Amino acid sequence: MANTPDYHWPPMDQRKVIGTSPKRLDGPVKSSGRAKYTSDLKPQGMLFGAYLISPHAHAKVTSIDTSVAEKLPGVKSVYVAAPAGTEMQYQGWEVAAVAATTEEIAREATRKIKVEYEVLPHFVKDEDLASAGANAKQGGERLVGDPDKAFADAEAVSEGHYGIPVVTHCCLEPHGQVIQWMGDSINVWPSTQNVPGYAGDLSQRLQVPATNIKVKMDYIGGGFGSKFNPDAWAIVGANLSKNAGGRPVKLYLERNAEQMIGGNRPSAYAKIKLGGKKDGTITAWQTDSWGTGGFQAVSPGQQPYVFTNLPNIREVRTAVSVNAGTQRAWRAPGNQQASYLTCCAIEDYAHKIGMDPIEVFKLNAQYAPTARIETYRYQLDKAAELADWKKLWRPRGQNGSGPVKRGLGVAIAAWGGAGHAGKARAVINPDGSVAIETGTQDLGTGTRTIITQVAAETFGLPMSQIKLSIGTSELPADGGSGGSSTVGAVSTTTRKSSMNALAKLYEVVAPSLGAQPEELEAVDGHVRVKGSPNKSLTWQAACRKLGSTQIAEMGENVPRSAQAEGLNTQGAAGVQIADVSVDTETGIVKINRYVAVQDCGLVINPKLAESQVFGAIIMGIGTALFEERIMDAQTGRVLNPDMEFYKLAGIADIGNLVVHMDIRPENDKRGVIGLGEPPAIPICAAVGNAVTNAIGVRVPTIPMTPDHVLAALEGRIG
Amino acid sequence: MSSKKDSELPVPPKSGFSRRGFIRGVGIGSGALGTGLLETEAAAAAPATLGPGPVPITLNINGKPVNLTVEPSVTLIDAMRNYLDLTGAKRVCDRATCGACTVIMAGKTVYACTVLAIDAQGKNIETIEGLATGSALHPVSKAFYDNDAQQCGYCTPGFVMACKGFIDEHPSPTEEDVKHGLGGNLCRCGTYMGIRKAVLQAAKEMKGAVKNG
Ligand code: FES
Ligand code: FES
């Protein structure tokens, strides 16, 4: 293109749609129950699938007989996923599946499959590293500076141990898909965070050309990091469909399987020692941490978290393998754990030297990445102000003489959040209609709404005039929605494709306005000459000049060069404070108030941003107070693969939430940064610190259940 | 085993129809949702033998009778979703914990995963599909939209029906009432802040509508 348009975001004070809070576009269709999720679909001729999963934590299939199941009337196909000889490494491993004309028949048939197992020894508990033996694998060692000398010189040393267990994603819509494999082509309607990447993955696993695979998904009932690839169930479902002559098959996990194999967040445990000065400066950090990602060994994230430039560090990380379902990315992978371990250890150091933890966090922000130091200091002050910290915070053990103690705790978070690689197409039609087409997905984060806002801003049109298409593999590919990378990508691709399309339109209409194309702008439903508002055409009149030719222009986000364009970037910071009351007789923790201060660069829709932060905190409060996947050492089974005993936070459990989006000009000018993950990071740490502050002793292990709280009060865990 | 212990087990239905796979009904959640479903089921058991194969039944859904043929073990949520394409209500926990399957039956909010379709016969069943006509939004749905009370939206239809049932019984709720009355529904995306506001807004609007109407 001769003249590359200036893609920069309009200045803050000139924006008309960006920075405002129109309601989410898919709100009506969702709140009226009309939104069709892929688990709601029933294409013509669809069969219902059902799974048979391993009841054992570790076993070998010695024989499998599907003959009775196959003869059951209504059964159309049976697929064995674990033939004789397969060694299964956790409970819930896929053994076989059936497709039948009704769900009842499919389930009945799975019960008629005869499997014999040779049960093998299992190991499922990871809290105690000493018991892990050969299941523990070296996950990395790190030495920075001279920690021995720093500890020897330290004016104060604090020590503690901390733990954060495995939790599950517990998406309300389980994993699965409707899939149809006919000859050399596949139609699939998955529940996925990665519409654009799905066909490529499936193609490799089924040896069907990616171009013959059509993927479509309008709505997804939660992913949180757990729904990227076509999993085992897509392969099994596809084979069931093929064996049934190409009829579509619906195969979603039952809740128990969802909790066992649908993804989980790795655990992390650590023994941590800190040394430093009496003024609060930390000078030495020693950490020995371990955790499990299920059968796949995963070690905890690097510590100290955020305070990465600390001068003297000794770190040993260990990965423990257990016979349990495999971890998946969980809304800021590794970060909740690292934040918990780091922020609890710093709080313990503050207590040791008798300082207010906010001051200790502020002082040690000097060790955060340079660009973020002042942001953290500002946010720590802001959060403290919103939480009434100065008035309400008391040193440990000074929180009243009654049985109910109030406490405050602080924690911090960092995240990248730059846009992924992606493309969008902007179309201007001669009748004035405008379309944006991009193969992304809206996880409920508001992607549809913010794309439409960016297009409306760029074209100078109302949002209602933009027609948006997303959610199929036939559109220009965007990326998977992970790493909070979607908003940066789609805002950039929409902006660039729209500006590129406008540039073409300007070429056509410039002569009739007696101006050069680059002198034109699209504002308020008109195309006009910059600086001469009376030299203008209505949008409709301008588009009519296209005759019968449509404009269709692409826009691309290239992560390497995106930062230079200024449209999206990375590096979000956040500070959160929990205010809790703890009943020291029952051990029950109640959230009074929860404050979050969050930066995410330029905010396209503050209301939707606030909803994201609310959601992240609420999910985090569930993990801080209730959630834990509990394994039985004897049988190796998950004891709570349901929603009764795997307890999510309810509407009464969350207290009052206060969210402050840090939309200052210095943040805005950095461009768009993702938000799905950053505010989900520090909740366990803030709540854990608040509980500890309330009752006067460290409760080392999340969740803050009555059991853990009372044990700490009684000195049962040291 | 003592006879006392036996007598404490739920009374088996006299009809002897199959309840294959039906180990449900325990742990009905707190809040607005009804109780006593097990007794209702037992009482409704017809003397004639039904099943285990499919039997014809008639459900009265959103004011219209619909005929379908299902095994007696089929729950109301599965009947709606798998046989009638009424997919607003979702099957999530399938064990009376989350409320995603909430519908209003005989004026009470119930977990449709915990009601057998054959036992739902003869009762008026209201689902989210019947809440409003055409593209108009019911005041509860509108309040969810206005207060951004949905993200992924998978819990939303159940929540909307639970809110409708709650407001029918508590026309002037306080925020505290809302927290307790809607404890029987769960949202993983964390939309509770919006829902709290939505219920209060909807209650106000629905009261206004009654007064004006
Ligand atoms: S699906 Fe019925 S309560 Fe969860
Ligand atoms: S909006 Fe996603 S579960 Fe409630």
Side-chain angles (χ1 to χ4, degrees):
Chain A
M1 200 177 296
N3 286 313
T4 304
D6 175 11
Y7 297 123
H8 280 94
W9 298 116
M12 244 176 144
D13 57 358
Q14 286 170 32
R15 295 176 200 153
K16 301 211 156 116
V17 195
I18 291 176
T20 67
S21 294
K23 290 186 273 184
R24 77 173 61 226
L25 293 177
D26 51 12
V29 77
K30 286 177 173 173
S31 70
S32 61
R34 292 193 301 261
K36 282 280 183 190
Y37 298 76
T38 58
S39 53
D40 294 333
L41 300 177
K42 201 174 160 192
Q44 191 71 32
M46 189 189 83
L47 300 169
F48 292 86
Y51 247 136
L52 176 68
I53 55 175
S54 168
H56 303 294
H58 187 195
K60 197 179 251 179
V61 177
T62 55
S63 75
I64 180 160
D65 176 5
T66 57
S67 56
V68 178
E70 277 162 31
K71 290 195 197 87
L72 208 66
V75 169
K76 299 295 175 193
S77 72
V78 177
Y79 180 77
V80 173
T86 307
E87 187 176 338
M88 300 180 297
Q89 296 291 356
Y90 43 80
Q91 182 198 16
W93 190 289
E94 307 83 7
V95 176
V98 175
T101 48
T102 71
E103 192 169 26
E104 294 73 41
I105 295 172
R107 288 172 168 181
E108 176 79 5
T110 61
R111 287 190 286 270
K112 300 236 184 290
I113 297 173
K114 286 196 212 75
V115 192
E116 280 171 35
Y117 302 97
E118 179 194 345
V119 178
L120 302 167
H122 61 259
F123 176 74
V124 296
K125 290 290 207 189
D126 63 324
E127 299 93 306
D128 178 14
L129 184 58
S131 71
N135 289 60
K137 293 172 190 68
Q138 174 60 263
E141 268 192 69
R142 199 161 65 96
L143 186 69
V144 178
D146 187 348
D148 289 337
K149 180 169 182 316
F151 276 112
D153 294 346
E155 294 167 12
V157 172
S158 66
E159 282 183 80
H161 68 93
Y162 313 92
I164 175 166
V166 171
V167 296
T168 66
H169 296 72
C170 198
C171 307
L172 292 202
E173 180 181 46
H175 287 69
Q177 70 292 308
V178 177
I179 190 164
Q180 180 174 29
W181 188 355
M182 306 156 296
D184 204 17
S185 71
I186 290 176
N187 291 325
V188 57
W189 299 265
S191 180
T192 184
Q193 294 174 234
N194 190 7
V195 169
Y198 196 94
D201 276 5
L202 198 60
S203 151
Q204 283 178 13
R205 298 181 63 179
L206 293 175
Q207 302 301 312
V208 171
T211 44
N212 294 0
I213 300 177
K214 287 202 179 112
V215 185
K216 180 161 168 50
M217 183 196 76
D218 289 330
Y219 304 99
I220 173 175
F224 313 111
S226 69
K227 290 181 178 168
F228 283 97
N229 305 320
D231 287 286
W233 31 92
I235 309 309
V236 172
N239 279 293
L240 285 173
S241 167
K242 191 183 190 188
N243 298 345
R247 287 173 73 168
V249 170
K250 177 181 210 161
L251 184 63
Y252 285 79
L253 299 183
E254 298 276 333
R255 181 53 48 180
N256 64 340
E258 179 67 23
Q259 296 299 95
M260 291 176 209
I261 62 174
N264 61 71
R265 180 184 81 183
S267 61
Y269 299 86
K271 294 185 178 126
I272 300 178
K273 184 163 115 178
L274 265 63
K277 298 191 201 154
K278 288 264 167 66
D279 70 357
T281 312
I282 298 166
T283 54
W285 190 289
Q286 179 173 309
T287 180
D288 191 350
S289 64
W290 67 95
T292 189
F295 186 64
Q296 173 192 341
V298 172
S299 55
Q302 182 175 300
Q303 306 134 55
Y305 179 67
V306 173
F307 305 96
T308 44
N309 295 326
L310 222 121
N312 304 294
I313 302 169
R314 174 179 290 115
E315 189 187 17
V316 180
R317 293 186 282 157
T318 305
V320 179
S321 154
V322 298
N323 295 106
T326 304
Q327 66 93 29
R328 292 170 179 229
W330 201 99
R331 206 168 184 176
N335 280 244
Q336 285 116 18
Q337 300 95 317
S339 172
Y340 182 71
L341 301 178
T342 299
C343 296
C344 291
I346 293 178
E347 218 268 350
D348 281 348
Y349 183 76
H351 167 66
K352 181 88 185 184
I353 57 170
M355 267 183 81
D356 179 339
I358 294 272
E359 297 307 319
V360 176
F361 273 87
K362 268 169 70 181
L363 191 64
N364 290 290
Q366 62 181 303
Y367 301 132
T370 319
R372 314 269 62 191
I373 295 173
E374 285 317 312
T375 308
Y376 280 118
R377 290 191 173 143
Y378 168 85
Q379 292 185 348
L380 282 156
D381 280 336
K382 187 78 198 167
E385 175 197 322
L386 293 170
D388 274 330
W389 181 278
K390 286 217 167 70
K391 197 174 115 216
L392 297 174
W393 183 81
R394 302 262 178 288
R396 274 190 211 177
Q398 296 177 28
N399 288 295
S401 52
V404 178
K405 316 273 190 197
R406 188 169 184 178
L408 266 60
V410 62
I412 61 171
W415 189 254
H420 51 232
K423 290 193 178 97
R425 178 165 45 224
V427 177
I428 303 174
N429 290 305
D431 67 357
S433 62
V434 171
I436 300 290
E437 301 166 346
T438 180
T440 189
Q441 51 278 318
D442 187 338
L443 272 48
T445 45
T447 305
R448 284 184 173 89
T449 314
I450 58 105
I451 291 176
T452 309
Q453 282 183 260
V454 169
E457 178 83 49
T458 308
F459 286 109
L461 294 172
M463 284 173 70
S464 56
Q465 217 168 317
I466 312 291
K467 184 175 174 298
L468 173 64
S469 303
I470 65 168
T472 82
S473 54
E474 290 169 332
L475 297 167
D478 186 57
S481 290
S484 302
S485 60
T486 301
V487 66
V490 298
S491 60
T492 299
T493 59
T494 302
R495 175 81 177 160
K496 289 174 72 177
S497 59
S498 301
M499 302 272 304
N500 291 343
L502 276 177
K504 290 279 185 221
L505 180 68
Y506 296 159
E507 281 172 24
V508 175
V509 302
S512 53
L513 287 168
Q516 294 302 309
E518 53 280 5
E519 289 173 330
L520 302 187
E521 62 181 1
V523 184
D524 292 339
H526 288 78
V527 174
R528 67 188 192 191
V529 180
K530 286 179 205 163
S532 319
N534 49 354
K535 286 169 93 179
S536 83
L537 283 169
T538 66
W539 178 258
Q540 306 297 338
C543 293
R544 266 198 301 275
K545 302 230 177 281
L546 294 172
S548 58
T549 321
Q550 178 194 64
I551 294 174
E553 287 295 308
M554 300 297 290
E556 189 171 1
N557 186 49
V558 183
R560 278 187 313 281
S561 55
Q563 200 148 348
E565 284 166 359
L567 291 173
N568 77 85
T569 184
Q570 62 178 352
V575 170
Q576 298 183 5
I577 291 177
D579 171 348
V580 306
S581 288
V582 186
D583 186 327
T584 52
E585 289 172 351
T586 62
I588 290 173
V589 176
K590 192 175 136 248
I591 308 282
N592 301 318
R593 190 159 50 156
Y594 196 97
V595 171
V597 176
Q598 183 67 52
D599 144 51
C600 65
L602 184 155
V603 178
I604 294 170
N605 184 319
K607 176 69 199 159
L608 295 182
E610 183 190 60
S611 289
Q612 275 295 292
V613 183
F614 281 151
I617 296 170
I618 290 168
M619 193 175 193
I621 288 175
T623 64
L625 295 184
F626 310 120
E627 295 179 39
E628 178 176 12
R629 184 192 68 189
I630 302 169
M631 303 300 296
D632 181 40
Q634 287 299 318
T635 61
R637 293 181 185 170
V638 185
L639 288 173
N640 56 346
D642 51 47
M643 293 177 70
E644 244 172 302
F645 298 102
Y646 188 92
K647 194 174 170 329
L648 306 184
I651 194 165
D653 296 322
I654 56 167
N656 195 16
L657 311 184
V658 179
V659 169
H660 175 81
M661 294 307 299
D662 185 4
I663 311 180
R664 288 174 293 156
E666 55 263 55
N667 291 332
D668 183 274
K669 72 165 193 261
R670 302 175 61 215
V672 175
I673 306 174
L675 181 64
E677 279 147 310
I681 293 167
I683 300 101
C684 286
V687 171
N689 280 341
V691 170
T692 296
N693 174 249
I695 67 171
V697 290
R698 172 60 59 189
V699 183
T701 308
I702 288 286
M704 294 289 137
T705 54
D707 181 30
H708 284 159
V709 171
L710 294 177
L713 278 168
E714 291 162 15
R716 278 190 274 130
I717 2 179
Chain B
M1 193 185 282
S2 75
S3 59
K4 184 167 181 292
K5 193 165 182 201
D6 282 348
S7 71
E8 279 167 8
L9 295 172
V11 184
K14 290 192 193 72
S15 63
F17 57 63
S18 162
R19 296 200 176 197
R20 193 167 58 196
F22 189 73
I23 313 166
R24 301 186 166 100
V26 287
I28 289 169
S30 62
L33 291 156
T35 51
L37 298 175
L38 286 175
E39 296 91 279
T40 321
E41 280 161 27
T49 300
L50 293 176
V55 294
I57 63 168
T58 304
L59 296 175
N60 194 348
I61 300 190
N62 300 322
K64 282 195 210 98
V66 276
N67 299 318
L68 60 160
T69 304
V70 294
E71 290 182 23
S73 66
V74 169
T75 56
L76 179 56
I77 188 70
D78 287 352
M80 294 193 316
R81 290 180 57 81
N82 291 346
Y83 293 83
L84 300 175
D85 203 31
L86 292 170
T87 57
K90 307 292 188 244
R91 188 175 85 196
V92 170
C93 69
D94 211 13
R95 291 293 184 279
T97 311
C98 73
C101 62
T102 304
V103 297
I104 299 178
M105 186 168 82
K108 290 263 177 220
T109 45
V110 295
Y111 292 138
C113 68
T114 316
V115 175
L116 290 178
I118 52 164
D119 282 343
Q121 293 184 94
K123 291 167 192 153
N124 205 13
I125 300 161
E126 296 166 63
T127 75
I128 190 143
E129 287 84 359
L131 215 48
T133 41
S135 61
L137 288 181
H138 183 273
V140 175
S141 301
K142 181 170 176 298
F144 270 61
Y145 175 42
D146 288 346
N147 293 282
D148 206 33
Q150 66 277 293
Q151 288 188 27
C152 83
Y154 212 69
C155 70
T156 309
F159 249 117
V160 166
M161 292 311 286
C163 288
K164 156 93 169 51
F166 173 73
I167 294 169
D168 286 346
E169 288 187 21
H170 306 86
S172 311
T174 64
E175 196 168 332
E176 276 315 296
D177 296 338
V178 173
K179 287 184 200 165
H180 293 115
L182 291 169
N185 288 65
L186 295 170
C187 170
R188 187 45 152 171
C189 299
T191 56
Y192 300 138
M193 295 297 281
I195 293 173
R196 287 178 183 172
K197 287 194 190 150
V199 182
L200 298 179
Q201 176 187 318
K204 229 186 242 167
E205 271 177 39
M206 283 162 75
K207 242 192 348 213
V210 172
K211 264 193 220 125
N212 299 338

